[in-house]
Amino acid sequence: MQKLIELASDVAALWGKYHSSYLTGIRNTLILAVVATVIGCLIGFVCGILNTIPHSKTDPPLKRFFLALIRVLVRIYVEVFRGTPMVLQAVFIFYGLPYFTDNSVQFSGLQGIWTAAILVVSINTGAYMAESVRGGIISIDPGQTEGAMAIGMTHVQTMLHVVLPQALRNILPQIGNNFIINLKDTSVMFIIGFTEFFATHKSVAGATFQYFPSAALEMVGYLCMTLVASFLLRWLEKRLDGDSSYELVQEDPLTMTAGTYKHPDKGSNFDERSKEYDGKEAR
Amino acid sequence: MGETILQINHLSKAFGANVVLRDIDFTVEKGDVTSIIGASGSGKSTLLRCINLLETPTSGEILYHNQNVAGRKVKAAEYRSHVGMVFQSFNLFNNMTVLENCMVGQIKVLKKHKDEARQSALYYLQKVGMAPYINAKPRQISGGQKQRVAIARALAMEPEVLLFDEPTSALDPEMVGEVLTVMQKLAQEGMTMLVVTHEMAFARDVSTRVVYMNQGVICEQGTPEAIFGNPQRQETRDFLSRFRQQ
């Protein structure tokens, strides 16, 4: 108990002295996570759509070649960026691009660091989202696509207006997952000097040697961010589902209750055993 | 009597080694209400899906106003907007309300203005008795109601011919009537219809022509009186007698 009170006072002291640094860290983490998740989702959607363009053996060879090429490229992208650590990807892009382009592409200054960080996290998120989107599209009943095609919609129209809105709803939990992972995993961006929340910890702890109190503060900070994110995502899901009730405009004249379409005396047109029928086709 | 809308020549369809349709010849004229009957697996639905290019025919041609639409995929979407289709499983767009279901095709495909699309959607929903439900989502209405909305959605595109793929097979018995009533009304108004159905009474009383399919070929076709009253082929007689015994 004594220790806990000590910790609390240490944390309070740290916060009192360095709260502006911590808040800047939180702000940068949030901005990076939100922007990169949004861009990552867009990349994921584009890859998911490219991956699910219908192709058949009757297509002209050139079209088949291009579609196959697209699928291979998307596949390589997904496997490479899903299969390597983000911290290494950051190093590769931050130092690799200038290296390969003889410094004509450089990430210099604060702006450069931001660009590189957003780029790396977005590309990484995109690789995960590409698979989620593909799964989301596959999960939609093919009947939806057929219904849209039957009224003359093109593949793009079908995707935009029918399949993707439903797929988006289905993969929203996945997007939430990715967002929360991004909130935490942006911490590896300290490797390229990005000052997010965890980088603040490193600099504060380095200056004060209060490693544990600072880490405790960070834990609480990250947990608060992810809890708020979870809450907002749940709320968004509920909102997208819409109201479960609807309003009738007036009465429906055509609805018939059970049995009424089969008139007892005459037998309706659609009654398999109407009296006329039995009379004519007597066995 | 009327002009020929669709002419199908030597149409065949195989799924791998499994030949589902063999050398089908068939025409649809304006105002025809054609019922396609036959046992399950006789190729009825596949024929309908080939006509709407949801399946690519293996060989043969589909002439729409003397233009072959099979094989060249370029104009498939444009052609489909003239040929409406009503599915066994409704296939309403789950992310849209009843009204939006009937508007989206008009706006995106026919490029109509939103107000005009709304007007015509309401007209057709009224026709199928679903006008009160315009704000409902598909998951909130019954099967029969869904199918009526699906019919309105197809009608709103003002197609030249409407294809029905077993429109009542997925419905509970008490809902079959409301859908058939709507279809009968359409038939009386002169809509050109091609109906794959197991409702023999509908085939007999509403259609102007009945096609009996057996094992991927058209076994017999003619007026309902001829097919039901005096079937020529033994297969047809066997099929119809199975239905009567039920």
Side-chain angles (χ1 to χ4, degrees), chain A residues 9-88:
Chain A
S9 72
D10 281 349
V11 168
L14 267 184
W15 179 256
K17 198 167 172 200
Y18 293 103
H19 67 268
S20 65
S21 307
Y22 282 118
L23 284 176
T24 313
I26 289 181
R27 194 200 65 187
N28 289 353
T29 294
L30 282 175
I31 294 175
L32 178 58
V34 169
V35 172
T37 308
V38 169
I39 298 177
C41 283
L42 291 178
I43 296 175
F45 268 95
V46 171
C47 289
I49 295 170
L50 289 176
N51 248 337
T52 49
I53 295 174
H55 53 97
S56 70
K57 285 179 184 157
T58 54
D59 287 335
L62 200 64
K63 188 180 167 193
R64 268 166 65 196
F65 173 74
F66 270 112
L67 288 180
L69 185 69
I70 286 172
R71 282 197 302 280
V72 168
L73 290 179
V74 170
R75 188 98 206 127
I76 291 173
Y77 160 64
V78 168
E79 294 300 344
V80 167
F81 282 89
R82 213 173 45 166
T84 52
M86 190 157 77
V87 62
L88 280 179

Side-chain angles (χ1 to χ4, degrees), chain A residues 18-254:
Chain A
Y18 293 103
H19 67 268
S20 65
S21 307
Y22 282 118
L23 284 176
T24 313
I26 289 181
R27 194 200 65 187
N28 289 353
T29 294
L30 282 175
I31 294 175
L32 178 58
V34 169
V35 172
T37 308
V38 169
I39 298 177
C41 283
L42 291 178
I43 296 175
F45 268 95
V46 171
C47 289
I49 295 170
L50 289 176
N51 248 337
T52 49
I53 295 174
H55 53 97
S56 70
K57 285 179 184 157
T58 54
D59 287 335
L62 200 64
K63 188 180 167 193
R64 268 166 65 196
F65 173 74
F66 270 112
L67 288 180
L69 185 69
I70 286 172
R71 282 197 302 280
V72 168
L73 290 179
V74 170
R75 188 98 206 127
I76 291 173
Y77 160 64
V78 168
E79 294 300 344
V80 167
F81 282 89
R82 213 173 45 166
T84 52
M86 190 157 77
V87 62
L88 280 179
Q89 290 165 17
V91 174
F92 255 71
I93 288 179
F94 190 71
Y95 298 107
L97 276 186
Y99 183 89
F100 275 110
T101 57
D102 285 331
N103 288 339
S104 64
V105 179
Q106 263 189 349
F107 299 103
S108 57
L110 192 61
Q111 208 186 342
I113 293 176
W114 269 98
T115 314
I118 291 177
L119 190 67
V120 171
V121 183
S122 301
I123 291 178
N124 194 274
T125 311
Y128 282 96
M129 285 309 299
E131 286 298 274
S132 297
V133 171
R134 196 169 68 89
I137 292 174
I138 294 171
S139 76
I140 304 300
D141 173 21
Q144 297 284 311
T145 311
E146 288 187 354
M149 304 232 288
I151 56 172
M153 284 174 139
T154 59
H155 176 68
V156 174
Q157 287 173 331
T158 306
M159 277 289 157
L160 283 182
H161 304 294
V162 178
V163 176
L164 286 183
Q166 296 181 53
L168 177 68
R169 168 64 191 87
N170 285 358
I171 63 170
L172 203 59
Q174 276 295 326
I175 295 178
N177 248 349
N178 264 305
F179 178 56
I180 285 175
I181 289 172
N182 279 347
L183 276 176
K184 298 178 299 173
D185 283 8
T186 45
S187 56
V188 301
M189 287 301 133
F190 76 87
I191 197 105
I192 57 169
F194 185 82
T195 49
E196 37 65 56
F197 196 31
F198 181 67
T200 318
H201 160 75
K202 286 193 68 132
S203 60
V204 169
T208 62
F209 300 106
Q210 299 251 15
Y211 285 99
F212 181 61
S214 177
L217 199 156
E218 294 268 318
M219 287 286 253
V220 174
Y222 273 115
L223 197 58
C224 285
M225 284 197 274
T226 52
L227 284 178
V228 170
S230 297
F231 176 79
L232 287 176
L233 286 161
R234 285 289 163 85
W235 174 80
L236 185 64
E237 272 180 41
K238 274 216 173 112
R239 242 194 73 125
L240 276 186
D241 282 346
D243 208 344
S244 61
S245 62
Y246 61 94
E247 275 182 27
L248 279 190
V249 179
Q250 4 129 350
E251 267 192 22
D252 179 9
L254 256 178

Side-chain angles (χ1 to χ4, degrees), chain A residues 144 146 244 249 252 269 277, chain B residues 49 92 129 132 184 204-205:
Chain A
Q144 297 284 311
E146 288 187 354
S244 61
V249 179
D252 179 9
N269 282 337
Y277 190 59
Chain B
R49 290 169 62 84
L92 290 181
Q184 186 182 27
R204 191 193 62 219
D205 297 333

